[in-house]
Amino acid sequence: MEKMTKINTPEVLEKLISNLTKKLNDKIDGKAGIRKIVICGGTGCLSSNSKQIYEEFLKLIGEYNLSEKVEVNMVGCFGFCSQGPFVKIYPEDTLYRMVKVEDVKTIIETDLVNHKVCEELVYVEPNTNVKYPKQDDIPFYHKQLRIALHGCGTINPENLEEALGCDAFKGLIRALKMSPQEVIDEVLASGLRGRGGAGFPTGKKWQFAHNEKSDVKYVVCNGDEGDPGAFMDRSILEGNPVSVIEGMMIAAYAIGASNGYFYVRAEYPVAVSRLEKAIHALEEVGLLGDNILGTNFSFRAHIRLGAGAFVCGEETALLNSIEGKRGMPRPRPPFPAVKGLWGKPTIINNVETLANIPFILREGANKFNTIGTKNSKGTKVFALGGKVKNVGLVEVPMGTTLRDLIYDIGGGIPNNKRFQAIQTGGPSGGCLTISELDTHIDFDNLVEKGSMMGSGGAIVIDEDNCMVDVAKFYLEFICDESCGKCSQCRIGTKRLLEIVDRITKGKGEIEDIERMEELSSSIQAGSLCGLGQTAANPVLSTLSKFKDVYIRHIVDKKCDAGVCKDLVNYTIDENLCKKCSLCARKCPVGAITGTVGKTPFAIDHSKCIKCGLCYDSCKFNAIRRG
């Protein structure tokens, strides 16, 4: 990429955007006379050698004398993580999945040289065995709509020209032609609610900070994504960091701030690196700094790395961390919009919230407002994981049902297992069961059903999971992450975990159910921040929906899922045993004995570690779990 000159006026930027948009579209449409190859550069695909795939393409394209006919780029996440790494070729839109380094030569010879599709590398729908060479034809993408993920999987996140060619800064140009209040009114009219947790109206938060009289104000981007299994914000920052920077700049203009801070987990090195490069590139051309586009608006962006404390996702604890203090929540009021970073008015929005802002200013509030439900506008990004076939990053319009999310987009439960629940909202959320699959996803509906939207984690749970163990898992996480400031959270969650742990070991009492409910109420009432106030949700939610499972553990001393090892025994039915020895060969501790073809096999319970490998391996249902 040639070094861009300084951009001093909106007219110059508009003309540049127009030219770069045509340039990018011509490459995608094939009008530029070249083939454009994009390779997934999200963290998941990078861990599966996508960088080496990229380097192999560069090497072999040179060897095949295709350098003038082919352009290769690393891009952001394609979303369909269980099928990565991805290679996509324009203008044909051919998508290859689960690509290995050794497949690069095949793709070059078959597709680039001979113009034929590599049939063995395209996606095959498991239920129908139908091949889908093009991304848009794959059912996983059918009900999705990318707004926050705009540009991810299409543009090179380290190339400012491609970002500008993909609508970047059109929203800021329009915002700078409006008054700050008009910008806030536009965000209010859009109905955008914060995507980081409780769903507070974004425009209202901006209005509070705008109304404060102060010579210094701040904007903070919360990228401290800490929910287990969540990677929404990381993927946005990796795939299109310029869109988030633009969203922050629009927010800063609206409230009168001249400095913004990105607070990002240090465990996100790819996101941090790309964000740093984007900030530097924007500074080089004058789109960050003093008198941006010849106006009175000046703004600088800074990065602060978080040490991975879940509590720093709470906005006041995050502010303490940026200031160099221990990440512990502050009493509220005053709220950050009144007294935030270094005592100055501050707005804090998470990554996904800011990524929606450019669309709203670029396309207008009315267009955003037409997407979603009455009280939850736009789309929501989910990290769909757990016991679901199509694990990945999903962005759907608000109002999409859980059934659509799990079965149409997610592909359903692997191995024909029975769906049991979906945990939304991470440790602070709750589980929703089969009777709630037709719930329309929005902020209010999920709360009404006993869960919450949260930042967008969605973990699918099948019949092989124990719901008491699920509650234990999240409680262990909460206990580890409690900052310790409030005794109800610091001590109460520990006592709650002890009760649940006791139940999983067959030592529970029926009175423990009432004890857990009372203790949960105390934790909720006595905790200062959102982490403590929702710390008991894993127990309350599972108790509400699966009390019979708790009673089964307490009264019958049984874990039907076979997860709580102290409540499980494995035995072999000698009448069904085929004497094949497969179970004995799978046993890691030699607890199974017998003679192949002669005597039935049996389990020595003094040696058995209850790992369940024998149960899973037996093809004749001869092993009983009880």
Side-chain angles (χ1 to χ4, degrees), residues 418-561:
R418 176 177 56 84
F419 168 80
Q420 186 170 198
I422 180 170
Q423 177 83 12
T424 65
S428 302
C431 58
L432 302 166
T433 64
I434 192 167
S435 65
E436 294 153 327
L437 279 176
D438 292 313
T439 297
H440 293 275
I441 298 169
D442 70 11
F443 291 101
D444 303 324
N445 281 343
L446 293 185
V447 170
E448 184 182 327
K449 298 293 182 180
S451 186
M452 64 185 293
M453 186 84 73
S455 59
I459 308 298
V460 179
I461 300 165
D462 74 3
E463 61 185 272
D464 291 337
N465 294 107
C466 169
M467 296 309 298
V468 182
D469 183 70
V470 169
K472 179 183 172 182
F473 167 80
Y474 282 115
L475 266 179
E476 287 173 336
F477 178 83
I478 289 293
C479 285
D480 286 342
E481 296 296 336
S482 173
C483 75
K485 184 170 186 175
C486 306
S487 59
Q488 286 87 346
C489 179
R490 181 183 71 251
I491 301 171
T493 55
K494 184 65 175 176
R495 299 290 86 83
L496 197 57
L497 175 60
E498 289 171 355
I499 296 173
V500 175
D501 184 58
R502 193 164 67 234
I503 291 172
T504 64
K505 292 178 178 176
K507 300 177 182 178
E509 304 171 351
I510 199 67
E511 292 80 13
D512 283 335
I513 292 178
E514 185 175 349
R515 292 186 187 113
M516 288 190 293
E517 290 172 339
E518 291 178 354
L519 186 53
S520 296
S521 297
S522 175
I523 295 169
Q524 287 177 327
S527 296
L528 182 62
C529 79
L531 183 148
Q533 291 162 8
T534 60
N537 282 3
V539 169
L540 292 175
S541 178
T542 51
L543 268 178
S544 172
K545 307 288 175 66
F546 296 96
K547 184 174 283 189
D548 59 320
V549 178
Y550 279 89
I551 293 173
R552 176 84 163 142
H553 279 63
I554 294 169
V555 177
D556 300 328
K557 311 299 180 186
K558 296 290 183 183
C559 175
D560 295 323

Side-chain angles (χ1 to χ4, degrees), residues 37 57-67 70 72 108:
I37 299 176
F57 264 109
L58 293 180
K59 173 189 167 187
L60 293 183
I61 283 171
E63 292 179 5
Y64 280 78
N65 296 316
L66 295 172
S67 299
V70 178
V72 186
I108 289 176

Side-chain angles (χ1 to χ4, degrees), residues 309-617:
F310 181 64
V311 71
C312 286
E314 196 279 333
E315 57 184 25
T316 61
L318 182 155
L319 295 178
N320 274 344
S321 183
I322 292 177
E323 292 176 3
K325 302 171 185 175
R326 185 175 175 183
M328 302 177 81
R330 305 172 180 177
R332 294 181 295 179
F335 291 93
V338 176
K339 187 178 180 181
L341 195 59
W342 291 295
K344 301 297 183 179
T346 305
I347 57 169
I348 306 160
N349 294 128
N350 87 320
V351 171
E352 186 183 343
T353 306
L354 292 177
N356 278 282
I357 297 299
F359 178 92
I360 293 170
L361 270 295
R362 181 176 70 241
E363 305 291 341
N366 289 340
K367 186 168 183 179
F368 188 86
N369 198 279
T370 60
I371 304 165
T373 63
K374 181 180 179 181
N375 295 317
S376 298
K377 302 298 183 181
T379 59
K380 182 71 191 78
V381 181
F382 289 96
L384 184 62
K387 302 295 184 65
V388 65
K389 292 177 182 176
N390 300 337
V391 172
L393 196 69
V394 174
E395 184 171 6
V396 294
M398 295 282 194
T400 301
T401 65
L402 290 171
R403 188 183 301 277
D404 288 340
L405 181 67
I406 297 166
Y407 287 94
D408 290 355
I409 296 172
I413 317 302
N415 305 315
N416 295 315
K417 294 288 185 176
R418 176 177 56 84
F419 168 80
Q420 186 170 198
I422 180 170
Q423 177 83 12
T424 65
S428 302
C431 58
L432 302 166
T433 64
I434 192 167
S435 65
E436 294 153 327
L437 279 176
D438 292 313
T439 297
H440 293 275
I441 298 169
D442 70 11
F443 291 101
D444 303 324
N445 281 343
L446 293 185
V447 170
E448 184 182 327
K449 298 293 182 180
S451 186
M452 64 185 293
M453 186 84 73
S455 59
I459 308 298
V460 179
I461 300 165
D462 74 3
E463 61 185 272
D464 291 337
N465 294 107
C466 169
M467 296 309 298
V468 182
D469 183 70
V470 169
K472 179 183 172 182
F473 167 80
Y474 282 115
L475 266 179
E476 287 173 336
F477 178 83
I478 289 293
C479 285
D480 286 342
E481 296 296 336
S482 173
C483 75
K485 184 170 186 175
C486 306
S487 59
Q488 286 87 346
C489 179
R490 181 183 71 251
I491 301 171
T493 55
K494 184 65 175 176
R495 299 290 86 83
L496 197 57
L497 175 60
E498 289 171 355
I499 296 173
V500 175
D501 184 58
R502 193 164 67 234
I503 291 172
T504 64
K505 292 178 178 176
K507 300 177 182 178
E509 304 171 351
I510 199 67
E511 292 80 13
D512 283 335
I513 292 178
E514 185 175 349
R515 292 186 187 113
M516 288 190 293
E517 290 172 339
E518 291 178 354
L519 186 53
S520 296
S521 297
S522 175
I523 295 169
Q524 287 177 327
S527 296
L528 182 62
C529 79
L531 183 148
Q533 291 162 8
T534 60
N537 282 3
V539 169
L540 292 175
S541 178
T542 51
L543 268 178
S544 172
K545 307 288 175 66
F546 296 96
K547 184 174 283 189
D548 59 320
V549 178
Y550 279 89
I551 293 173
R552 176 84 163 142
H553 279 63
I554 294 169
V555 177
D556 300 328
K557 311 299 180 186
K558 296 290 183 183
C559 175
D560 295 323
V563 174
C564 303
K565 293 183 179 180
D566 291 287
L567 305 182
V568 175
N569 278 310
Y570 293 94
T571 57
I572 300 177
D573 188 331
E574 63 179 23
N575 296 318
L576 295 177
C577 179
K578 301 299 182 181
K579 311 177 185 67
C580 67
S581 81
L582 180 60
C583 58
R585 285 182 276 132
K586 290 288 185 179
C587 181
V589 293
I592 303 177
T593 57
T595 306
V596 178
K598 294 183 179 181
T599 62
F601 283 75
I603 299 173
D604 183 346
H605 292 101
S606 66
K607 295 181 180 179
C608 179
I609 60 172
K610 302 178 182 180
C611 65
L613 287 175
C614 60
Y615 179 84
D616 294 334
S617 65

Side-chain angles (χ1 to χ4, degrees), residues 69-381:
K69 299 178 181 179
V70 178
E71 178 184 289
V72 186
N73 268 327
M74 295 284 283
V75 296
C77 181
F78 279 77
F80 203 174
C81 301
S82 61
Q83 294 291 311
F86 287 98
V87 172
K88 187 173 183 178
I89 301 181
Y90 296 103
E92 296 84 359
D93 286 338
T94 307
L95 183 68
Y96 297 120
R97 92 289 181 263
M98 301 180 77
V99 177
K100 301 180 180 63
V101 175
E102 53 265 33
D103 295 324
V104 174
K105 185 175 181 180
T106 302
I107 293 173
I108 289 176
E109 291 181 347
T110 305
D111 194 315
L112 299 186
V113 176
N114 294 313
H115 301 280
K116 295 180 180 179
V117 174
C118 301
E119 298 286 345
E120 68 274 18
L121 293 175
V122 302
Y123 176 72
V124 180
E125 181 68 18
N127 299 329
T128 62
N129 290 323
V130 175
K131 292 183 177 181
Y132 294 103
K134 298 182 185 298
Q135 179 176 339
D136 290 343
D137 293 335
I138 298 173
F140 173 80
Y141 294 101
H142 284 178
K143 294 187 176 182
Q144 295 196 49
L145 175 63
R146 287 196 161 197
I147 293 178
L149 290 170
H150 178 71
C152 297
T154 302
I155 65 169
N156 179 350
E158 298 182 8
N159 186 320
L160 180 56
E161 284 192 359
E162 290 209 349
L164 292 173
C166 193
D167 300 323
F169 280 82
K170 289 182 179 179
L172 181 67
I173 291 172
R174 179 170 177 243
L176 292 178
K177 294 176 182 178
M178 304 162 68
S179 70
Q181 185 59 56
E182 286 173 333
V183 173
I184 293 172
D185 290 342
E186 190 81 1
V187 175
L188 284 167
S190 74
L192 176 66
R193 296 170 67 173
R195 299 306 198 239
F200 189 81
T202 303
K204 283 188 178 181
K205 183 182 284 190
W206 290 17
Q207 187 71 67
F208 293 148
H210 171 81
N211 291 345
E212 289 297 312
K213 305 299 181 185
S214 176
D215 57 338
V216 177
K217 296 180 182 180
Y218 296 102
V219 177
V220 173
C221 174
N222 184 350
D224 189 60
E225 188 171 52
D227 290 5
F231 54 98
M232 301 78 61
D233 292 347
R234 185 195 75 198
S235 297
I236 294 171
L237 288 174
E238 289 178 352
N240 192 354
V242 172
S243 71
V244 189
I245 297 170
E246 182 185 0
M248 177 184 273
M249 294 174 72
I250 293 169
Y253 174 73
I255 72 163
S258 56
N259 281 280
Y261 287 85
F262 285 92
Y263 187 85
V264 186
R265 300 176 74 81
E267 296 98 321
Y268 287 177
V270 177
V272 171
S273 172
R274 291 177 181 170
L275 185 59
E276 287 175 339
K277 290 176 181 177
I279 290 172
H280 178 71
L282 291 169
E283 289 172 341
E284 287 282 296
V285 298
L287 290 177
L288 278 175
D290 295 327
N291 303 115
I292 296 168
L293 296 178
T295 68
N296 292 326
F297 175 56
S298 299
F299 185 76
R300 286 174 172 80
H302 316 273
I303 300 175
R304 294 291 182 269
L305 300 185
F310 181 64
V311 71
C312 286
E314 196 279 333
E315 57 184 25
T316 61
L318 182 155
L319 295 178
N320 274 344
S321 183
I322 292 177
E323 292 176 3
K325 302 171 185 175
R326 185 175 175 183
M328 302 177 81
R330 305 172 180 177
R332 294 181 295 179
F335 291 93
V338 176
K339 187 178 180 181
L341 195 59
W342 291 295
K344 301 297 183 179
T346 305
I347 57 169
I348 306 160
N349 294 128
N350 87 320
V351 171
E352 186 183 343
T353 306
L354 292 177
N356 278 282
I357 297 299
F359 178 92
I360 293 170
L361 270 295
R362 181 176 70 241
E363 305 291 341
N366 289 340
K367 186 168 183 179
F368 188 86
N369 198 279
T370 60
I371 304 165
T373 63
K374 181 180 179 181
N375 295 317
S376 298
K377 302 298 183 181
T379 59
K380 182 71 191 78
V381 181

